[in-house]
């Protein structure tokens, strides 16, 4: 699969009898040429969504005619002229345009309506889960947004748990930077909240143990962070 402007390019070949190939791999036979076009496009759409990257289609019709289009990371079909403007953002470091309005609503509610902000952040994670499932950077980013809102609005316990959950999810996806970021935020929120308590909360020990387990997923790379978690955990014991 060659690259165009850094984006993967899928070569599609169509036959008049309903057969189609994507990069030389046969696609499920279709009833006619129109159905073959749809089947090939759907195949590339799955690749784009799974890879979290836009993909370019270069298609050849049975009569030799050629055309191109782009499948966005969300699965939308766009003209090839859009390829240079599509973000190549596999780890969702930028807010996807489709979620920008929801995120703005969450952030706008924080100063005056913290309870509403937490509800909106929860709804955002549910919406993204319906769109992508949990094994996707969009969902992990939404979960971290929820955790940040909880930390900012007086619910550090939930925030710690959700940062820890995000760390595990990043580890499962293979994104070391995201795993570290989520672990570090979980540590800060958990440690600050437990230190501020006048009466110890036994659940702080459980949260610390969950965080220690999440940090261990990085192997020897985050030993210093693991030591900070275990030192504070020893103090709680």
């Amino acid at each position: 699969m060659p690259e165009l402007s850094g984006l993967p390019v899928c070569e599609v070949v169509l036959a008049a009898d309903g057969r189609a190939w994507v990069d030389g791999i046969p696609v499920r036979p279709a009833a006619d040429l129109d159905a073959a076009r749809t089947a090939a496009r759907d195949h590339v759409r799955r690749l784009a969504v799974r890879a979290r990257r836009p993909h370019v289609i270069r298609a050849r019709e049975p009569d030799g005619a050629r055309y191109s289009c782009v499948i966005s990371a969300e699965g939308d079909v766009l003209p090839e002229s859009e390829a240079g403007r599509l973000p190549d953002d596999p780890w969702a470091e930028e807010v996807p345009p489709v979620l920008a309005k929801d995120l703005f609503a969450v952030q706008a509610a924080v100063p005056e309506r913290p309870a509403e902000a937490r509800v909106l952040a929860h709804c955002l994670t549910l919406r993204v889960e319906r769109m992508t499932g949990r094994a996707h950077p969009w969902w992990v980013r939404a979960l971290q947004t929820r955790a940040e809102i909880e930390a900012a609005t007086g619910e550090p316990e939930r925030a710690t748990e959700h940062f820890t959950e995000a760390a595990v999810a990043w580890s499962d996806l293979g994104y070391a930077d995201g795993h570290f970021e989520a672990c570090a935020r979980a540590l800060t929120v958990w440690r600050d909240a437990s230190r501020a308590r006048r009466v110890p909360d036994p659940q702080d020990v459980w949260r610390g143990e969950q965080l220690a387990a999440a940090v261990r997923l990085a192997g020897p790379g985050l030993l210093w962070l693991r030591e900070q978690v275990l030192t504070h955990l020893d103090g709680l014991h």
Side-chain angles (χ1 to χ4, degrees):
M1 183 185 297
E3 298 263 332
L4 175 68
S5 300
L7 300 180
V9 178
C10 294
E11 299 289 345
V12 172
V13 177
L14 301 165
D17 61 3
R19 291 178 297 159
W21 295 262
V22 176
D23 290 333
I25 300 173
V27 177
R28 180 173 55 85
D32 53 35
L33 182 55
D34 284 341
R37 293 189 187 103
T38 299
R41 190 166 56 243
D42 287 346
H43 180 88
V44 178
R45 179 182 286 113
R46 287 190 293 271
L47 294 177
V49 172
R50 186 181 306 128
R52 307 180 294 277
R53 299 186 68 191
H55 279 48
V56 177
I57 290 178
R58 290 276 178 80
R60 189 180 73 199
E61 295 280 326
D63 62 0
R66 293 178 176 273
Y67 66 89
S68 301
C69 64
V70 177
I71 306 294
S72 74
E74 298 83 53
D76 298 324
V77 181
L78 304 170
E80 187 178 4
S81 59
E82 296 291 317
R85 296 198 293 271
L86 285 173
D88 185 15
D89 186 22
W91 301 115
E93 295 180 274
E94 301 293 330
V95 178
V98 71
L99 300 176
K101 184 177 179 180
D102 301 69
L103 183 59
F104 177 79
V106 172
Q107 294 171 337
V110 171
E112 302 294 335
R113 306 183 306 279
E116 180 182 338
R118 291 193 295 270
V119 171
L120 291 173
H122 182 203
C123 291
L124 176 62
T125 61
L126 294 176
R127 181 188 177 197
V128 176
E129 183 176 357
R130 287 193 297 269
M131 293 171 63
T132 68
R134 293 192 169 203
H136 195 286
W138 285 15
W139 181 80
V140 189
R141 293 291 184 190
L143 183 63
Q144 283 187 257
T145 296
R146 180 181 178 184
E148 292 288 1
I149 297 302
E150 290 164 341
T153 59
E155 291 199 352
E157 298 82 11
R158 286 182 177 272
T160 300
E161 293 167 13
H162 289 140
F163 278 127
T164 302
E165 186 178 358
V168 174
W170 282 130
S171 178
D172 290 344
L173 289 171
Y175 186 38
D177 289 348
H179 174 257
F180 164 73
E181 176 190 341
C183 284
R185 287 294 291 131
L187 170 61
T188 298
V189 174
W190 166 68
R191 186 167 54 190
D192 290 351
S194 59
R195 284 174 174 172
R197 298 189 201 286
R198 294 182 179 179
V199 179
D201 180 358
Q203 289 297 307
D204 280 336
V205 172
W206 175 81
R207 294 184 190 100
E209 290 171 346
Q210 295 300 304
L211 176 55
V215 173
R216 279 196 294 270
L217 294 173
L222 294 181
L223 282 178
W224 64 272
L225 185 60
R226 181 182 172 189
E227 288 175 359
Q228 291 189 53
V229 174
L230 294 178
T231 297
H232 189 63
L233 194 55
D234 287 343
L236 293 176
H237 281 298

